[in-house]
Amino acid sequence: MKVGAYEVIKARMSRRRMLQGATALGAVAALGGPLSIRPAMAASHGGNVRAEILKIPGVGAGSPTDADWQKVGEMCLEATKANVAEGEFAGVELTFMGLNNQNLHNFLFRGFLKPWEAYTGAKINWIDLAQADYNARLQQSIATGTVDFDILEMGAPFEGDTAGKGLLDPMPDWVAAQIDADDLVGYLKPPVGTWDGKQYRVTIDGDCHTFAYRTDYFGEGAIGGAEVPKTWQQVNAVTKALVGQTDPLTGQPAHGYLDPLKGWGGFGMYFIANRAAAYVKHPDDPAWLFDPDTMKPRVNNPGWVQAIQDVMDLIATEGAYPADQINADPGTTGFSQFLAGTGSMLMWWGDIGSSARTSDTSVVGDVVGFGINPASERRYNSAAGAWEETMNEAPLMAYIGWGIYVTSRVSGDEKKRKAAWSAAAHLGGKDLSLWTAAYPSGFQPYRNSHFDYAEWEAAGYDRAFVEDYLGSNADSYNHPNAAIEPRIPGIFQYYSVAEDELSKGFAGQYASAQETADAIAAAWEKITDQIGRDSQIALYKASLGM
């Protein structure tokens, strides 16, 4: 956001935001969810480097640039220097495959690693992939059993496909010490990042989806009502009620919840799963995608069907969504719509929280609040085969975070192997990670040390925003009924085909939500049979801790 616009909106909205924040907190407290009490956060600054890098460029000073990324990378090199001599990797060339999504991910990695390259003497070549192309490109390497890259940016769900097939190199002990792996939040510790007892992952992200909403839409006299919706039933009701009204910030047509209706290389599956998790993730059952004893899909049970029906109801409500929403993927809903002032409610990863205050493209920086995944007023019990009329919360741990992995292509060359792991450790360093959590990066808070409110305040965030944003992440990570996705082979094959069938359903090619869900289930059964049902059952149970 431009500094001038930021200050104008801040002055206009600060009092309203305070009042509406109190309303939202009161609503959540009434629900009895974990947001009503938040754990005390750590208060360790970790030295001057952390404070100094958070001043680059400073909250409200515009979007960071490549010069900023390089400067942060240079200031965080001390941990590398303790393990690597200057020029030690001269002559080494490494190939790095990752995302170029929203001009983040690989773009930042380039900047962070340029000082590393200058110090170590290594050279990195880049393979940049759009989000929608990522799954297909990685699956090609998995299917052929070969890789043409030495370092890989990847999410934990792919560990079954890669580590399980010997495509990754195990992490050396010195890397775990350099990155302070013990600092990770609980749900990102082993077994995440491991396979058959070996560690493979340098975590750089802690993906979960949180609820973002426009505070100027809610409160006494506001167009969205006095209280922020706390259930999916209320989300749909408010979205329909906003049709025909005017956005208080932009003067354009008001809209409620922003569902992405276009696929995104399998990643769009998480967004229908947000709705479904509230309906189907039962506190007594860790499974919610498949039956753990048979791998029979649950995606066509009444809870999942209700989630799909919710979206179809809004599609059928003229004006509920922005025009041409059928072609809006999650990148569109998050960056082109919500941050740009279109729509009032969204489920997304933590990028929305950091980008709201630190991106030139955001106009909602001081009128955005956060919470966990909305609840449902009832939940489906798969074991009993019946609905239960009780409130149910279930935050979705979507993708279990990005990590940096080193491939087995370097395993026979110790110099190249050390270079690859050193680059990975630099990107996953404790201090550098604080910067990526606070600024637009594609990543969100994932370490216990990220939850020091004072560090964020010193960077320019106000305390109320920090408590709201960080609290929504902490409450999701620590929720007793969190929906954890399985790290099983083929998981994105399941997700991709689900996206294809959902797109058909949303376009009206299927007669009903049930028919759409049945088509997904049938496709999932074929994938399970192709991979091997017995092995999938065993791995699925293991991933759920059963």
Side-chain angles (χ1 to χ4, degrees):
M1 178 180 288
K2 300 296 184 184
V3 179
Y6 174 85
E7 294 300 332
V8 169
I9 294 175
K10 182 175 180 180
R12 184 172 64 214
M13 293 296 181
S14 58
R15 182 173 181 274
R16 174 181 285 185
R17 186 184 189 286
M18 178 180 68
L19 294 174
Q20 292 168 346
T23 298
L25 287 174
V28 175
L31 179 60
L35 273 178
S36 56
I37 300 176
R38 286 182 175 154
M41 298 300 177
S44 172
H45 286 255
N48 290 332
V49 169
R50 294 168 72 84
E52 290 303 313
I53 61 176
L54 286 179
K55 297 176 183 176
I56 304 170
V59 174
S63 297
T65 65
D66 182 62
D68 295 321
W69 303 329
Q70 291 188 49
K71 189 172 183 181
V72 171
E74 172 69 29
M75 293 173 69
C76 294
L77 266 181
E78 289 308 308
T80 294
K81 293 178 180 179
N83 288 315
V84 178
E86 186 171 3
E88 182 175 339
F89 303 141
V92 171
E93 286 197 29
L94 299 167
T95 300
F96 190 121
M97 189 173 93
L99 290 187
N100 62 1
N101 199 34
Q102 305 297 332
N103 292 326
L104 302 173
H105 294 262
N106 270 13
F107 288 87
L108 276 71
F109 298 157
R110 279 178 168 83
F112 293 151
L113 284 170
K114 281 181 181 177
W116 178 89
E117 290 178 279
Y119 173 77
T120 67
K123 178 185 177 182
I124 296 180
N125 302 309
W126 297 89
I127 299 174
D128 302 316
L129 300 173
Q131 187 100 34
D133 299 330
Y134 178 88
N135 176 41
R137 178 64 166 81
L138 182 56
Q139 290 292 348
Q140 180 184 20
S141 295
I142 294 169
T144 59
T146 60
V147 294
D148 58 352
F149 41 86
D150 306 299
I151 308 173
L152 171 65
E153 180 193 20
M154 185 180 78
F158 284 107
E159 288 172 357
D161 287 307
T162 53
K165 296 184 179 180
L167 299 180
L168 302 181
D169 184 77
M171 178 191 291
D173 292 340
W174 64 267
V175 174
Q178 179 175 322
I179 64 176
D180 190 3
D182 289 340
D183 187 41
L184 297 175
V185 297
Y187 103 98
L188 293 174
K189 292 180 178 179
V192 170
T194 68
W195 201 260
D196 287 337
K198 295 180 181 179
Q199 179 73 40
Y200 291 98
R201 162 184 164 116
V202 173
T203 295
I204 59 169
D205 186 23
D207 285 339
C208 67
H209 275 188
T210 57
F211 184 58
Y213 59 89
R214 289 270 298 278
T215 58
D216 53 341
Y217 267 71
F218 303 102
E220 292 300 327
I223 62 172
E227 294 188 353
V228 178
K230 57 182 179 287
T231 68
W232 282 108
Q233 289 85 357
Q234 292 171 359
V235 166
N236 264 33
V238 169
T239 301
K240 293 175 182 178
L242 285 169
V243 173
Q245 302 200 57
T246 300
D247 188 291
L249 181 63
T250 66
Q252 299 299 311
H255 296 286
Y257 186 78
L258 299 170
D259 281 295
L261 304 183
K262 182 181 178 181
W264 213 30
F267 290 87
M269 177 65 180
Y270 292 117
F271 294 82
I272 190 67
N274 285 313
R275 289 178 176 271
Y279 289 122
V280 304
K281 176 59 185 70
H282 197 281
D284 297 333
D285 186 355
W288 56 285
L289 287 170
F290 302 92
D291 181 275
D293 293 319
T294 65
M295 281 298 288
K296 180 180 179 181
R298 292 184 177 177
V299 72
N300 60 338
N301 72 21
W304 275 93
V305 171
Q306 183 61 63
I308 297 170
Q309 185 63 55
D310 284 354
V311 178
M312 290 182 169
D313 287 346
L314 295 183
I315 293 173
T317 304
E318 185 176 356
Y321 289 131
D324 198 34
Q325 194 71 5
I326 198 70
N327 289 314
D329 63 24
T332 299
T333 60
F335 292 87
S336 300
Q337 292 180 338
F338 188 82
L339 288 176
T342 296
S344 58
M345 294 174 286
L346 177 79
M347 287 292 297
W348 232 87
W349 289 282
D351 310 61
I352 297 302
S354 55
S355 296
R357 290 291 180 94
T358 58
S359 171
D360 289 335
T361 61
S362 172
V363 301
V364 299
D366 206 53
V367 292
V368 61
F370 301 93
I372 66 171
N373 191 7
S376 171
E377 295 168 7
R378 60 178 185 157
R379 67 188 178 211
Y380 185 73
N381 186 328
S382 293
W387 286 99
E388 297 173 349
E389 300 302 319
T390 186
M391 197 73 75
N392 193 58
E393 289 181 333
L396 177 61
M397 303 297 103
Y399 203 51
I400 324 179
W402 291 98
I404 304 297
Y405 301 76
V406 173
T407 73
S408 55
R409 196 166 87 146
V410 306
S411 297
D413 184 333
E414 193 54 41
K415 183 178 179 179
K416 194 170 186 179
R417 179 176 185 249
K418 184 178 180 182
W421 277 112
S422 178
H426 179 58
L427 293 178
K430 185 174 181 178
D431 293 337
L432 189 148
S433 73
L434 176 63
W435 191 95
T436 63
Y439 286 97
S441 64
F443 316 117
Q444 66 195 74
Y446 65 92
R447 290 175 171 267
N448 293 317
S449 58
H450 289 165
F451 293 88
D452 180 351
Y453 295 158
E455 287 190 316
W456 291 68
E457 285 185 278
Y461 284 95
D462 68 78
R463 181 69 175 228
F465 181 94
V466 169
E467 291 184 359
D468 208 25
Y469 172 58
L470 292 181
S472 68
N473 282 267
D475 294 337
S476 297
Y477 291 151
N478 297 318
H479 199 285
N481 194 37
I484 309 293
E485 65 176 315
R487 297 180 303 131
I488 57 174
I491 189 63
F492 262 75
Q493 294 179 49
Y494 294 109
Y495 289 174
S496 294
V497 74
E499 275 191 349
D500 293 342
E501 300 305 328
L502 282 169
S503 294
K504 295 175 185 176
F506 294 157
Q509 295 179 36
Y510 289 123
S512 66
Q514 184 68 63
E515 188 174 328
T516 304
D518 287 341
I520 298 171
W524 282 15
E525 287 279 60
K526 291 180 181 178
I527 294 171
T528 298
D529 287 335
Q530 290 169 358
I531 295 174
R533 189 170 299 270
D534 289 342
S535 63
Q536 287 293 79
I537 290 171
L539 292 172
Y540 185 49
K541 285 185 173 181
S543 74
L544 297 174
M546 299 178 69

